[in-house]
Structure formats: C-alpha cells, structure tokens
Amino acid sequence: MSETTADPRSAVAPEPRRRRGHGSGAHTETAPRQTHVTALDGLRGLAVLGVVLFHTGQLPFGWLGVPMFFALSGHFITRTLLGHQELTRAERARNFFRNRLLRLAPLYFLFVAVLTVLAAVGYGDGTITRDLPYLWTWTWNLSAMGHGFQSSPLVLYAHLWSLGVEVQLYVVWALLALFLPRRWFVRAVIALALAGPLLRWGLWLFLEATGYPVEALQPMVVYSSPVSYLDVFAIGACTALPEVRRRLTGVARAAVALFAVVTVVEVVRGFAAGSGFRRDLGYPIIFAEHYDWVWKYSVTALFFGALVHFAGREGRWQRMLSARPLARIGLISYGIYLVHVPLLGRLLEVHHTTPSGWTPADLGIAALTVVGAYLLAELSYRFVETPFLRLKKGSLAQHITAGPDRPATSVGSL
C-alpha cells in the first residue's frame, strides 16, 4: 500500500539492457524504465477510499481495495527488482530490502510502538499484549493459524494483517526475481497467476489434514494467508513484464467482462433468494460458501490486473485516474490506511455506536473518518515518511506533486 510509478503512455516503458553472462539467462530482454504513472496513484486512491468506506459501513464491497493494493504492489515490486541490472545480485537485494524497510518500517513501527505503550499501561485487558509478537514481526495475518484469529474487541489494529501479507509476498518475490534467470522468472510469474485456485484449495486441504480446530474459521485463514494473494500479486507483476504486457489487452478486456458477469449473476441471485439488492454485490469479505474461496479471488484478481493494465495506457481512464485530488490520496494512502481504523474506533467510542448503514450519524462518522485520516496522513507523509524516502537508493521516482502530463519534484518511492 505504498508504491507509485508511471509514464504518460504506458505503465512500463522498455529500455535496452546490457548483455550479461550465460548465468543470467537474459541477453536481449528489456528492463523496466523507472518512470511514474500518476494514474496508478489514482487507482491506489480509489482502493484506500474503498477500504475506509468499508470499515465505516458505507461500502460493503470496499474491502476489495486490499487485493487491489496487492495487484499494484506486484506491478511496482517487479519493476523494482528487475531494474538496475548493472548492479550485482547482492547489491540489488541490499537496495531492495533497504528501500522496503525505509518505506514501510518507520510509520508501521511507530504505530506498533504506540500499541506497545497502550499494552504496558493496561489498555485492552491483555488483548494487545497477546498480539504484540505478531505485530512486531509483520506476521499478524498468520495469527489466524496460531490462535484462531481471535479478533480484538478494540478497533485499533485488525487491519494490519494485510501489511503482513504484503511483506511476506515481498520476500517471496525477491527470492524469485533475484535468483531465477529472467526467462524462468517470467514463467514462474505466469504459473502463479494461473495457480491461485489450486493454491487456495491446497491451503484448505492442509487445514483439514492438520485438524484445524474450528471449521468455521477456515475461510478466515484463507482470507488472511499470503498464499491466497500470490495470484493477484503475480497478475500485477505481469503488467510490468514487457514480454507479457504486450499481449494483455485482450485478456484484460475478458477479465473485466468476467467480473461484470459474475457481479450481475450474484446480484440477480440475491433478488431470486428474496434478499433484495446485495449491497456487497456478491463479494462479502469472507468467501465462505459454494467454494467461493477457490475461484472468486481469481475473478477479482484478474479484474484488478486489468485495472492496473488499463491505468497504464494512454486514454480516458488514465486521464480520469490522474485527477490531482485522487492521485494525492493515493500518494499518501499508506498513512490513510494505517490511521483510519484507530481513528474510526475512537469516533465510535465517543458516539457509543457501531457502523450500521446510511443513517445521518453513520454518514457523519464516515465523513469525519475520511477527512481525519487524510489530514493525519498528510502530516505523517511530510514529517515521518518523506525524510526516510529521501534516503532510498536506486528506486523508482515518486512525485510529490504531479499532473498527468508533466513531471514534478520527486523522492524515492520503491
């Protein structure tokens, strides 16, 4: 939830790569040019707004913004790992992990440090203390397998599971990109993009074989596992590979059509079952029925990959997504994502309520959450994140202010 990139014409413009030794497996391939596409910031802005509105009860399918982030991360991380081929493998690995820590760690660990202080003074009746080992190690998502994902009654940090997934996928991707020859990396990416249903089915069978104690929580384990998002990450990566991207337009259109058909079918099923219009459009946060956890993640993954692909192509969609307010929200989306849940929790405590619909009170809390999270994220971006971003090396350029047709002042992004 932290990356940015771009080129006014395409998400990745190829540039020649120097000839390397036989061990690299790449003699004439191209490497991604480090450019910035403002429209992808806008896409990230839509994703984070969807998540915020989901948590405030206004947009029941807004949680889909999280896998949208994973598709974007797959795109950006692939570009970063395949760039700077003039460096040795060790130098690329060192730069990559250093840059990732500089981007994610300062604000994240500041957040967890505050949680640690709250635990030390007894806030949360031991709940925070129980979860701190997971939170400090970016493994909060894996707690679902450790203790059945005992969700905290505190509206503070349940959303941090997705940052654990993201960091874990970074490690997997770095191993693949740095140690596989280019041609084998491309094949591995395509295989993972297609293997999502099999991976999720395998995880489910593993839970059953190991006697996972609570069957009702198996969909939650699938939901919070990095295994379930390898395909969306890989599909995002495909949009950053020149040898794959040139063939993606037809596939992307088919993916959009598939998503539309599934959505219409789900809405019609809702009416046929007598439950009326489904506000979640058939995408509840946990896919627990009819083997939805096997195939629905793939439907959404293909759709998000299509969005990333089209956002990187010159045209009406790119111009719309490049709108300055939306791109700015996307630029500071990491901070918005981190702070909006505790902010919402405090607002709910003050009003002694829970998000339930579109009542005036609910809409007021949602508006306060969006505005408050935006303002806090602006402060965190300026005073906490940007000083560390300037320390990054060999990364894609991240523009502090930019329009769709001109460059702007930049700091390191990836």
Side-chain angles (χ1 to χ4, degrees):
M1 335 214 145
S2 51
E3 285 62 71
T4 29
T5 196
D7 173 350
R9 295 164 304 168
S10 66
V12 183
E15 63 181 4
R17 250 177 58 183
R18 66 177 62 185
R19 184 177 297 270
R20 299 178 62 81
H22 294 289
S24 70
H27 298 279
T28 58
E29 292 91 340
T30 57
R33 181 179 299 159
Q34 299 185 2
T35 50
H36 181 92
V37 180
T38 307
L40 295 177
D41 285 342
L43 197 55
R44 184 182 294 104
L46 288 179
V48 78
L49 287 175
V51 172
V52 174
L53 293 176
F54 168 76
H55 285 140
T56 59
Q58 309 307 309
L59 197 65
F61 59 88
W63 70 273
L64 290 171
V66 172
M68 178 75 254
F69 278 125
F70 296 148
L72 286 162
S73 290
H75 173 92
F76 296 128
I77 293 306
T78 299
R79 292 185 61 192
T80 302
L81 286 167
L82 296 183
H84 299 287
Q85 294 293 319
E86 73 279 3
L87 302 178
T88 66
R89 180 181 296 159
E91 289 171 331
R92 290 164 60 204
R94 184 167 56 249
N95 282 353
F96 174 74
F97 286 111
R98 180 179 186 272
N99 289 345
R100 290 295 78 221
L101 286 173
L102 286 170
R103 180 64 188 101
L104 297 178
L107 189 57
Y108 177 82
F109 286 127
L110 176 61
F111 189 100
V112 177
V114 172
L115 293 178
T116 304
V117 172
L118 291 176
V121 300
Y123 185 78
D125 298 326
T127 303
I128 302 177
T129 301
R130 178 199 69 192
D131 295 330
L132 281 176
Y134 295 108
L135 294 169
W136 277 108
T137 55
W138 267 314
T139 56
W140 167 232
N141 60 306
L142 301 181
S143 68
M145 299 185 71
H147 57 60
F149 205 87
Q150 300 169 19
S151 60
S152 170
L154 312 169
V155 184
L156 274 176
Y157 58 85
H159 60 312
L160 298 187
W161 72 270
S162 65
L163 298 180
V165 170
E166 187 145 329
V167 169
Q168 292 149 27
L169 291 176
Y170 288 164
V171 174
V172 171
W173 232 245
L175 293 174
L176 292 175
L178 293 173
F179 290 99
L180 288 179
R182 170 68 175 249
R183 64 179 179 275
W184 284 105
F185 174 72
V186 172
R187 292 171 183 174
V189 168
I190 295 173
L192 288 172
L194 298 174
L198 289 177
L199 293 171
R200 285 183 286 275
W201 185 272
L203 175 59
W204 189 276
L205 293 178
F206 171 79
L207 293 173
E208 291 190 339
T210 54
Y212 189 76
V214 186
E215 182 178 350
L217 287 178
Q218 285 182 349
M220 174 62 81
V221 176
V222 173
Y223 169 73
S224 58
S225 169
V227 171
S228 296
Y229 302 101
L230 276 168
D231 58 339
V232 70
F233 208 88
I235 289 169
C238 286
T239 67
L241 295 169
E243 53 268 74
V244 178
R245 191 182 69 252
R246 66 176 64 98
R247 304 187 181 106
L248 283 183
T249 299
V251 175
R253 288 172 179 159
V256 173
L258 175 63
F259 181 82
V261 169
V262 171
T263 302
V264 170
V265 169
E266 291 292 340
V267 170
V268 171
R269 282 177 56 188
F271 281 110
S275 55
F277 179 73
R278 294 191 61 168
R279 288 184 59 208
D280 63 11
L281 302 182
Y283 302 96
I285 188 169
I286 301 296
F287 295 145
E289 299 178 350
H290 309 301
Y291 298 98
D292 286 3
W293 44 269
V294 175
W295 61 274
K296 248 184 196 178
Y297 286 106
S298 294
V299 171
T300 56
L302 290 167
F303 177 65
F304 298 143
L307 294 184
V308 174
H309 176 70
F310 288 126
R313 294 168 61 87
E314 187 177 47
R316 178 177 57 185
W317 290 109
Q318 188 180 82
R319 290 192 295 272
M320 291 173 60
L321 290 169
S322 298
R324 277 198 169 193
L326 190 60
R328 184 64 191 184
I329 291 172
L331 185 65
I332 63 171
S333 59
Y334 183 45
I336 293 174
Y337 186 82
L338 272 175
V339 305
H340 83 276
V341 168
L343 175 60
L344 173 62
R346 306 297 67 76
L347 289 173
L348 294 176
E349 280 184 0
V350 169
H351 290 84
H352 305 288
T353 185
T354 57
S356 58
W358 290 344
T359 67
D362 291 334
L363 292 172
I365 290 175
L368 287 173
T369 301
V370 171
V371 174
Y374 174 83
L375 295 176
L376 289 172
E378 283 284 7
L379 292 174
S380 75
Y381 189 79
R382 179 173 180 179
F383 296 109
V384 179
E385 298 168 68
T386 297
F388 289 95
L389 292 176
R390 292 197 173 104
L391 299 176
K392 294 166 68 175
K393 294 180 180 179
S395 60
L396 302 183
Q398 181 177 34
H399 297 259
I400 300 298
T401 56
D405 300 315
R406 67 179 188 278
T409 305
S410 65
V411 294
S413 151
L414 289 178

